[in-house]
Amino acid sequence: MLVALGFLSGCSSTSRDVTSDARYAGGYQAGQTYRLTDNASLIVAAADHWQTGARYYLTRPACADSIPNERPDDKPIASLPPGARLRITRLVAFHTSPTSFYWHDLIHPLATMLDGPYGGTEVDITEISHHTFENGLTAITAEPSPDCLELVGNQGGGQSR
């Protein structure tokens, strides 16, 4: 019976807002503004895969080519140029169990696009971020990847780089 419950629990997932919990920040904070340092592909998801509330996400152009095979219902809709700006709005922990009796959080940074025809659109920027496993939290945090994002300002009055 216990084994059966373990297998059943292995299929579940939930999400929660962790924006205010500094342990999950990984370098991102609400209000920070970043600019793209390289092209990025804007994808509209067929479903809210990670229970973040966002239906759009950014990925690297090379990765966008594999979307039809990996997520056939998701569609690339635009290519964003270097210089496009994003403001971090929140961090969401997607809690999943990849195997029975093992749980971890996958942190998804969400940002609002500030420029172009998709300005005002909230996007998940996990796929253009760097990931680190934090053993004490049993979480995979996301931090800005320098080959994709550059910090250009803090709405909260902090220092920019």
Side-chain angles (χ1 to χ4, degrees), residues 37-116:
T37 58
D38 199 0
N39 293 317
S41 295
L42 177 63
I43 312 297
V44 62
D48 186 1
H49 302 301
W50 304 284
Q51 299 175 15
T52 62
R55 290 292 298 272
Y56 297 89
Y57 59 97
L58 296 181
T59 192
R60 298 168 195 253
C63 296
D65 295 340
S66 67
I67 298 243
N69 296 329
E70 295 177 13
R71 299 181 198 127
D73 294 330
D74 291 5
K75 304 290 180 220
I77 58 170
S79 179
L80 303 179
R85 295 172 307 134
L86 310 161
R87 179 163 295 129
I88 304 301
T89 54
R90 56 196 176 106
L91 302 171
V92 174
F94 179 64
H95 191 70
T96 186
S97 177
T99 60
S100 300
F101 303 109
Y102 178 80
W103 291 86
H104 68 258
D105 289 327
L106 210 50
I107 307 306
H108 287 260
L110 300 172
T112 298
M113 296 173 53
L114 301 177
D115 304 312

